[in-house]
């Protein structure tokens, strides 16, 4: 029997790639096992966005070394695979397959070669391909949210970032294929869809039929779909019609993740983001002018080479101005192949740590004020987890906020329920059920039963 075990690190794109890789393996006659010791093939889907992530990979590969023998095979996938290529074989000779995400469409062929005994198989497309990895065989592991990659790769080349080198060039799927997948997802019972791309709004329909905003509307109108999310949006390609379509189509969630990276135009220039603070704030103003209360979140890098106290202060004043509902802050990490690696990493580690702490403390204060706007309001929540030890059920608002609430009955995962907000915390809301839950469709329950069997087998 052909068995495999898979480990995944990195962003949502990587997590969803693994769902597709697992689907492909199952289709090729493999079965998934819960324990790596029992697996004939161990796959490791890697991330190299910051140095720490990459170090983790090599640490893990050293652990694999001890598992050699017993005919076990090892495959390294994802961003470190693409970045390091053949060098992985030198550092870890027991690895037989190294493949970046732009070669996954060739996985069946690579697996056949692996089974035939080849030990140096590579899939390293390195910005060559225009093809995307579309497969009907996706092992969906999230019990209530169906992911669809609509655009792969990145052509933006921010000076600090590995992604353009690890994920190949920007290439979109046709809107017809995205809609067909949305319908399949809906038929299998999911009511929530999340569209994915490193820059999801740089979407360019190869058939020329739909803009990104039109695609959002069309997915939002697929029968049975109640919530549509999309991530990540890039400010450079953020157009006003995206705000208009969120206002017009109720199933589109009122949340935009629009990473700014820095509030200083000088730093943005050095980062090659190709927008200024003012350009970014104009897009924020459009979003704030919407009829709906659209929640805004962001990614921020502190300690980029040359970032002065004044530049950092510009980031803090930008936080105050925008009033994000959440941010993900990172210390700048020099990365191979990127233009910024040639800049002197001038900000000492202790200053990076200090700036990150100031950033996070300021943001916590902002959230405390921001979240108060929800007090006393009743909002629809999708149930994500059953009751914890304190009897609280966890769900999510359309703004993507975590809501912990009490309820007399036990609502099913994936059902919707109105919750009245009674208390706020810096990064979550607390409330009580104000209605009976709307049960998930029988199709979703069937899908969840399938997923449960699937994860039991993992
Ligand atoms: N395509 C998205 C984000 C991709 S990576 C965008 O452009 O916004 C996710 C986040 O990791 C980035 O937004 C950035 O904040 C962070 N990041 C990327 N490279 C980094 C580096 N070298 N050091 C620190 N953070 C980094
Ligand atoms: Fe990286 Fe910039 Fe591309 Fe985002 S847009 S993935 S930060 S290069
Ligand atoms: Fe990491 Fe690659 Fe995603 S570097 S963040 S897994 S695109």
């Amino acid at each position: 029997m052909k068995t495999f075990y898979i480990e995944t690190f990195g962003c949502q794109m990587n997590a969803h790639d693994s769902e597709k890789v697992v689907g492909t393996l199952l289709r090729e006659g493999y079965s998934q096992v819960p324990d790596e010791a029992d697996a004939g093939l161990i796959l490791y889907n890697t991330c190299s966005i910051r140095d720490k992530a990459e170090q983790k990979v090599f640490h893990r590969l050293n652990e694999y070394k001890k598992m050699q023998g017993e005919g076990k095979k090892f495959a390294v996938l994802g961003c470190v695979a693409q970045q390091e290529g053949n060098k992985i074989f030198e550092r870890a000779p027991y690895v037989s397959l190294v493949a970046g995400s732009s070669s996954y469409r060739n996985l069946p062929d690579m697996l056949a070669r692996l089974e035939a005994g080849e030990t140096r198989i590579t899939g390293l497309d390195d910005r060559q391909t225009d093809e995307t990895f579309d497969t009907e065989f996706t092992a969906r592991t999230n019990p209530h949210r169906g992911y669809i990659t609509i655009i792969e790769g990145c052509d933006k080349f921010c000076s600090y970032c590995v992604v353009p080198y690890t994920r190949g060039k920007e290439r979109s799927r046709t809107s017809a294929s995205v809609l067909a997948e949305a319908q399949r997802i809906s038929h299998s019972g999911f009511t929530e869809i999340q569209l994915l791309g490193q820059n999801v709004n740089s979407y360019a329909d190869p058939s020329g039929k739909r803009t990104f905003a039109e695609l959002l509307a069309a997915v939002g109108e697929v029968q049975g779909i109640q919530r549509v999310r999309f991530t990540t949006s890039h400010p450079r390609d953020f157009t006003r019609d995206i705000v208009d379509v969120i206002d017009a189509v109720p199933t589109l969630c009122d949340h935009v993740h629009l990473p700014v990276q820095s509030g200083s135009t000088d730093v943005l220039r050095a980062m090659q983001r190709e927008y200024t603070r003012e350009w970014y704030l104009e897009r924020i103003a459009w979003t704030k002018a919407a009829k709906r209360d659209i929640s805004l979140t962001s990614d921020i890098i502190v300690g980029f080479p040359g970032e002065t106290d004044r530049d950092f202060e510009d980031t803090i004043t930008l936080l105050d101005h925008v009033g994000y509902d959440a941010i993900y802050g990172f210390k700048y990490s020099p990365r191979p192949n990127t233009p910024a690696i040639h800049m002197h990493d001038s900000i000492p580690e202790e200053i990076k740590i200090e700036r990150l702490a100031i950033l996070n403390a300021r943001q916590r204060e902002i959230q405390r004020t921001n979240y108060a706007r929800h007090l006393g309001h009743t909002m629809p929540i999708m149930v994500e987890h059953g009751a914890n030890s304190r009897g609280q059920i966890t769900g999510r608002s359309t703004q993507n906020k975590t809501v912990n609430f009490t309820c007399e009955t036990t609502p099913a995962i994936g059902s919707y329920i109105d919750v009245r907000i009674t208390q706020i915390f810096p990064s979550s809301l607390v409330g009580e059920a104000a209605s009976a839950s709307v049960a998930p469709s029988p199709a979703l329950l069937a899908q969840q039963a399938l997923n449960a069997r699937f994860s039991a087998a993992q």
Side-chain angles (χ1 to χ4, degrees):
M1 196 165 76
K2 301 190 288 185
T3 52
F4 74 96
Y5 175 87
I6 188 166
E7 269 184 287
T8 306
F9 288 89
C11 60
Q12 199 47 58
M13 300 276 288
N14 243 23
H16 181 50
D17 278 347
S18 281
E19 291 186 331
K20 295 196 271 185
V21 168
V22 170
T24 306
L25 283 157
L26 296 175
R27 154 106 179 134
E28 296 298 315
Y30 284 77
S31 53
Q32 195 165 12
V33 292
D35 191 342
E36 58 194 15
D38 301 328
L41 172 62
I42 295 186
L43 303 113
Y44 189 16
N45 194 359
T46 60
C47 171
S48 66
I49 200 77
R50 283 167 289 275
D51 187 53
K52 233 192 219 158
E54 187 182 331
Q55 292 315 320
K56 210 185 298 179
V57 174
F58 289 106
H59 180 75
R60 193 74 183 114
L61 284 179
N62 273 339
E63 288 173 3
Y64 287 167
K65 194 174 178 177
K66 297 171 206 136
M67 289 190 257
Q68 282 181 86
E70 312 145 32
K72 253 191 181 29
K73 293 180 182 185
F74 300 91
V76 183
L77 308 178
C79 290
V80 178
Q82 181 67 50
Q83 180 185 298
E84 298 299 307
N86 283 305
K87 279 189 265 172
I88 294 192
F89 295 131
E90 289 161 30
R91 282 183 79 163
Y94 39 91
V95 170
S96 309
L97 167 66
V98 173
S101 63
S102 35
S103 338
Y104 294 163
R105 66 188 187 289
N106 302 324
L107 262 182
D109 171 57
M110 291 191 268
L111 290 169
R113 291 166 56 196
L114 191 69
E115 286 161 29
E118 273 190 58
T119 54
R120 289 288 175 268
I121 306 160
T122 54
L124 302 166
D125 259 335
D126 192 19
R127 299 193 66 81
Q128 300 305 310
T129 187
D130 287 319
E131 310 251 336
T132 51
F133 178 36
D134 303 348
T135 169
E136 287 186 27
F137 307 103
T138 303
R140 299 196 178 276
T141 43
N142 187 306
H144 45 76
R145 185 184 289 178
Y147 293 98
I148 307 180
T149 305
I150 65 166
I151 172 169
E152 295 181 17
C154 178
D155 286 347
K156 301 289 189 284
F157 291 96
C158 302
S159 63
Y160 50 84
C161 183
V162 293
V163 174
Y165 312 93
T166 62
R167 288 203 163 248
K169 58 181 165 184
E170 243 165 51
R171 50 211 192 272
S172 302
R173 292 170 60 179
T174 62
S175 57
S177 90
V178 172
L179 286 169
E181 187 167 352
Q183 266 143 10
R184 277 201 304 276
I185 286 179
S186 172
H187 281 150
S188 64
F190 290 93
T191 59
E192 180 170 311
I193 284 178
Q194 183 158 350
L195 304 180
L196 296 176
Q198 277 307 334
N199 301 299
V200 75
N201 60 324
S202 309
Y203 177 78
D205 186 352
S207 66
K209 263 201 194 133
R210 291 180 177 87
T211 63
F212 174 63
E214 287 164 352
L215 179 65
L216 282 180
V219 174
E221 279 152 16
V222 167
Q223 210 187 357
I225 294 306
Q226 300 196 36
R227 286 186 173 181
V228 179
R229 303 184 182 281
F230 53 97
T231 192
T232 297
S233 296
H234 194 292
R236 228 195 289 173
D237 295 324
F238 194 80
T239 47
R240 217 171 182 150
D241 55 355
I242 299 173
V243 178
D244 295 339
V245 78
I246 295 176
D247 261 345
V249 181
T251 49
L252 301 183
C253 288
D254 37 11
H255 171 215
V256 173
H257 183 60
L258 195 64
V260 67
Q261 312 299 357
S262 168
S264 151
T265 294
D266 287 344
V267 174
L268 288 171
R269 191 178 308 113
M271 287 177 163
Q272 291 169 209
R273 289 291 285 184
E274 292 190 13
Y275 54 82
T276 60
R277 176 186 172 99
E278 289 68 33
W279 160 283
Y280 180 84
L281 288 177
E282 189 182 11
R283 269 114 204 105
I284 295 293
W286 296 345
T287 313
K288 288 193 170 186
K291 290 191 228 82
R292 294 173 74 184
D293 172 15
I294 300 178
S295 172
L296 285 157
T297 56
S298 190
D299 295 347
I300 308 250
I301 296 175
V302 298
F304 189 78
E307 184 188 65
T308 61
D309 286 340
R310 178 69 205 275
D311 291 322
F312 177 62
E313 188 54 32
D314 284 347
T315 297
I316 297 293
T317 59
L318 185 127
L319 289 197
D320 290 338
H321 183 112
V322 178
Y324 292 112
D325 275 343
I327 60 161
Y328 302 90
F330 307 104
K331 290 179 289 172
Y332 167 69
S333 166
R335 306 304 298 126
N337 307 319
T338 63
I341 193 101
H342 303 296
M343 300 175 189
H344 172 47
D345 184 13
S346 57
I347 314 296
E349 179 65 12
E350 60 270 22
I351 304 283
K352 287 184 187 170
I353 292 173
E354 190 188 349
R355 287 183 183 168
L356 188 60
I358 295 172
L359 183 88
N360 287 332
R362 183 72 204 120
Q363 179 59 26
R364 244 192 323 276
E365 286 312 307
I366 291 170
Q367 282 174 215
R368 219 185 285 279
T369 318
N370 268 3
Y371 283 25
R373 74 183 188 273
H374 299 304
L375 264 179
H377 286 200
T378 299
M379 53 177 76
I381 301 301
M382 191 216 248
V383 177
E384 293 193 345
H385 297 288
N388 62 16
S389 53
R390 278 170 294 154
Q392 277 179 328
I393 293 156
T394 302
R396 213 167 272 277
S397 70
T398 83
Q399 290 192 333
N400 207 33
K401 291 186 176 124
T402 299
V403 180
N404 298 307
F405 63 98
T406 50
C407 180
E408 279 172 14
T409 55
T410 309
I413 309 292
S415 62
Y416 292 86
I417 188 161
D418 284 340
V419 171
R420 202 175 69 84
I421 304 304
T422 54
Q423 214 186 338
I424 58 157
F425 285 102
S427 31
S428 64
L429 306 172
V430 173
E432 50 200 33
S435 71
S437 70
V438 178
S441 68
L444 182 63
L445 294 173
Q447 172 75 33
Q448 285 172 354
L450 244 171
N451 283 344
R453 273 211 297 285
F454 172 75
S455 30
Q458 258 178 15

